[in-house]
């Protein structure tokens, strides 16, 4: 296997009634750990590069080319996806670089403006054979812009998908980005209603704040693509702290990044199995 499109992975999971893990790349070690998780679990994975990540690296191209190279060398199916792009030109750059899927995030825009821009971006993506995800109903966190209780309306979602032509839809059902505790409560009834109203897969952003059992229930209710970043970053960072606490004189970064990469890989593999509904073992 090698680099594939998220279209293939998301469609297959939706057909099976299972979930697919979409995990954010922060740097090279993250991408390597996530591919290792795919190998350990025997399951496909989606590597996501966000607009924030691209900006951190001074542009999309450096981290994108490295991540695409890692995906191409994988022995399991791996997709590379642009996550949370609020700038249409970043979507265009990702398409030119060879991404198989992109997300344009107009969730904070007024509805009509979100429709117009998302439709235009989707047209360009489809012309290049690229799968596109849109967002309706702001998924909160990060900058504090989230208003508690925001939810995606099923009728509005149906109209949005028809007007924009997006292939998958990120919806607001109770999760929030950048949570470090897993206490978010999802509206499972709303997920089921959205699933019934739409003919495109649903995407859950902000999944780090959702407990295992609730995520599994969300998948059973109709959620397909499950995005995780902060939760895995915690495993990575805690492993670094632990290694440096043991050896205060350690200066070779490879010696503390290796156990961090291993810790991230182990937890990501566990989550891939959880999302695929392959295990009954859950953690809070």
């Amino acid at each position: 296997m090698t680099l594939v499109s998220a279209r293939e992975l998301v469609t297959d999971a939706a057909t099976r009634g299972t979930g697919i893990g979409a995990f954010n790349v922060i740097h090279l070690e993250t991408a390597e750990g996530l591919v290792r998780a795919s190998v350990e679990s025997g399951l496909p994975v989606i590597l996501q590069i966000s607009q924030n990540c691209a900006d951190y690296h001074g542009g999309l191209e450096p981290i994108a080319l490295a991540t695409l190279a890692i995906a191409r060398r994988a022995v399991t199916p791996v997709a590379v996806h642009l996550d949370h792009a609020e700038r249409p030109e970043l979507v265009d750059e990702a398409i030119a670089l060879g991404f198989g899927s992109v997300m344009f995030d107009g969730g904070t825009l007024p509805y009509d403006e979100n429709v117009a821009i998302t439709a235009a971006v989707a047209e360009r993506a489809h012309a290049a054979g690229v799968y596109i995800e849109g967002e309706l109903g702001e998924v909160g966190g990060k900058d504090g812009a989230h208003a508690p209780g925001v939810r995606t309306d099923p009728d509005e979602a149906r109209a949005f998908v028809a007007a924009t032509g997006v292939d998958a839809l990120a919806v607001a059902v109770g999760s929030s980005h950048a949570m470090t505790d897993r206490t978010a409560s999802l509206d499972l009834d709303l997920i089921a209603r959205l699933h019934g109203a739409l003919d495109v897969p649903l995407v859950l952003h902000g999944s780090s704040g959702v407990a295992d059992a609730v995520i599994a229930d969300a998948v059973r209710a109709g959620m397909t693509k499950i995005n995780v970043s902060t939760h895995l970053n915690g495993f990575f960072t805690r492993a670094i702290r632990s290694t440096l606490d043991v050896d205060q004189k350690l200066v070779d970064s490879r010696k503390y990044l290796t156990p961090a990469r291993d810790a991230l890989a182990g937890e990501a593999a566990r989550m891939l199995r959880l999302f695929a509904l392959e295990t009954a073992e859950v953690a809070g």
Side-chain angles (χ1 to χ4, degrees), residues 236-260:
F236 191 93
T237 303
R238 285 190 295 272
I240 290 176
R241 287 198 180 105
S242 177
T243 303
L244 293 178
D245 283 344
V246 170
D247 185 354
Q248 297 284 336
K249 296 182 178 180
L250 186 60
V251 295
D252 185 343
S253 61
R254 292 169 296 183
K255 293 185 177 180
Y256 56 80
L257 289 175
T258 296

Side-chain angles (χ1 to χ4, degrees), residues 75-99:
V75 297
T76 51
V78 177
V80 178
H81 172 78
L82 179 68
D83 186 42
H84 277 294
E86 297 179 355
R87 303 191 298 265
E89 62 272 20
L90 190 63
V91 175
D92 295 333
E93 183 181 1
I95 293 170
L97 287 168
F99 283 56

